[in-house]
Amino acid sequence: MRRLIPDHSPGSLLIVFIMVFLTYWLMVESVKIRSWFLKKWGPNNGVTAWFVWNKLHGTILFGVVFSLFAFWVYPDVPASAYALALPKDLFSWMIGIVLTALLGIAVWQKNRVSNNKKKSFGRYPELAASNWSLTILIIDICMWMAYLFSYELMFRGILLGMLSHSVGFWTAVGINVALYAAVHIPKGAQEAIGALLLGYVLCILTEASGSLFTAFASHCALAITNDISAFYYRDDMYWKSGRVSR
């Protein structure tokens, strides 16, 4: 387990986390900002530009602003606490790869069932361009990867690592999972409940492997597969050469 640093209060870190996340969420949910992108670049290019801004905005806030604050306030927490390393053994690699593959398959299957039952895909794919191309597909994948690396660095790296040193590992896991579920509440009860279980598993695997790899890779599998499969099954979205053949 990690060495405790008792004089480090988690209060300031949690306050800044709340401020950073609220700043991100309120801006990406702003109808005025989204409308500005649509007005400036048109429907298809506008939603693509908004998606890029959305993910870069989160990447900077979570991966840069929050990280710099944490490193400044807690300079004596060792770098190893942030899990910025590759998995330490073959078993950890295998767990990460298997979990990533299973989550990707599960998300595709969920969207296939939703399509068969004629359920709405809601806000997905987040890159809501009606006409997709290879360029848009690459943008979707790259922006998700940049955003989710910063997201996991914030949750399973900085929050889990620094809170473990100030309040102990299991208390840090409880706080981490509660916050992780809370930020998914606006996306619906189903995602919030799923985040409770997944958040717990990812905290344990991050601690066991000493690496963000499993959290990052599995989260990418969820988000990217969800976007691609939602695009694939939606009747109002097309590949540039025509409707995707199913």
Side-chain angles (χ1 to χ4, degrees):
M1 286 296 170
R2 307 175 193 234
R3 178 175 60 89
L4 285 177
I5 305 176
D7 59 330
H8 280 200
S9 170
S12 59
L13 190 67
L14 295 176
I15 290 171
V16 172
F17 166 82
I18 293 169
M19 291 173 61
V20 164
F21 204 91
L22 281 176
T23 299
Y24 167 75
W25 188 256
L26 291 174
M27 292 187 73
V28 299
E29 290 297 309
S30 169
V31 174
K32 289 184 178 180
I33 293 177
R34 188 182 180 96
S35 298
W36 181 85
F37 279 99
L38 295 177
K39 183 178 179 180
K40 185 172 180 64
W41 282 290
N44 209 68
N45 291 336
V47 293
T48 303
W50 177 86
F51 176 81
V52 171
W53 169 81
N54 174 335
K55 298 311 171 195
L56 287 179
H57 177 54
T59 299
I60 292 169
L61 284 174
F62 304 155
V64 179
V65 175
F66 186 72
S67 299
L68 289 177
F69 172 82
F71 300 156
W72 174 60
V73 172
Y74 304 118
D76 53 346
V77 174
S80 59
Y82 314 132
L84 288 172
L86 294 174
K88 58 188 178 184
D89 52 45
L90 179 60
F91 182 72
S92 297
W93 277 105
M94 291 176 63
I95 291 294
I97 292 169
V98 170
L99 180 61
T100 299
L102 289 176
L103 287 173
I105 293 169
V107 169
W108 193 286
Q109 176 67 9
K110 177 184 74 71
N111 282 343
R112 187 185 70 83
V113 170
S114 294
N115 179 67
N116 290 341
K117 293 182 177 180
K118 305 301 181 184
K119 291 184 178 179
S120 170
F121 290 101
R123 61 192 296 149
Y124 299 111
E126 284 199 24
L127 202 170
S130 56
N131 294 297
W132 279 49
S133 63
L134 180 59
T135 300
I136 289 181
L137 178 61
I138 292 172
I139 288 173
D140 186 78
I141 293 172
C142 291
M143 288 297 100
W144 270 120
M145 290 179 70
Y147 171 81
L148 290 174
F149 177 79
S150 293
Y151 190 90
E152 287 301 333
L153 174 61
M154 178 174 68
F155 268 101
R156 254 63 65 171
I158 293 169
L159 276 176
L160 181 62
M162 292 191 172
L163 290 178
S164 292
H165 281 279
S166 61
V167 298
F169 176 68
W170 291 109
T171 302
V173 170
I175 295 172
N176 197 287
V177 171
L179 291 174
Y180 188 58
V183 301
H184 284 79
I185 289 175
K187 294 185 176 182
Q190 185 176 3
E191 287 205 26
I193 293 170
L196 283 172
L197 176 60
L198 181 62
Y200 177 78
V201 170
L202 293 181
C203 285
I204 300 303
L205 292 178
T206 298
E207 174 70 10
S209 66
S211 173
L212 288 175
F213 169 75
T214 298
F216 170 65
S218 58
H219 209 159
C220 283
L222 282 172
I224 295 170
T225 305
N226 193 40
D227 261 17
I228 293 173
S229 57
F231 158 74
Y232 180 79
Y233 287 115
R234 282 183 63 153
D235 292 326
D236 57 342
M237 292 183 175
Y238 301 84
W239 194 253
K240 64 178 184 179
S241 57
R243 187 71 190 97
V244 176
S245 177
R246 299 174 186 168

